[in-house]
Amino acid sequence: MKILYLLFAVFLLIFQATSGSADPLFADTFECRSQGNFCRAGACPPTFTASGSCHGGMLKCCSK
């Protein structure tokens, strides 16, 4: 029975996902947020302007 605990631990370590290793899902969203902007559905707030798109063109990138 003790070997089952060891096998379970090894199983979890083998199939563990590594965080941060994958490319971002949407490159436009990554670029928007890396410039200090934010994504929003619909119109940007009054003091912000739409400077691009996010989530593959479904959202707007709002910048100051």
Side-chain angles (χ1 to χ4, degrees), residues 25-50:
L25 187 59
F26 296 105
D28 55 352
T29 303
F30 178 75
E31 185 170 337
C32 177
R33 291 191 177 161
S34 68
Q35 295 173 355
N37 302 331
F38 62 94
C39 299
R40 182 168 180 169
C44 295
T47 58
F48 294 88
T49 58

Side-chain angles (χ1 to χ4, degrees), residues 48-61:
F48 294 88
T49 58
S51 63
S53 64
C54 296
H55 293 288
M58 296 180 66
L59 301 176
K60 293 180 181 170
C61 178

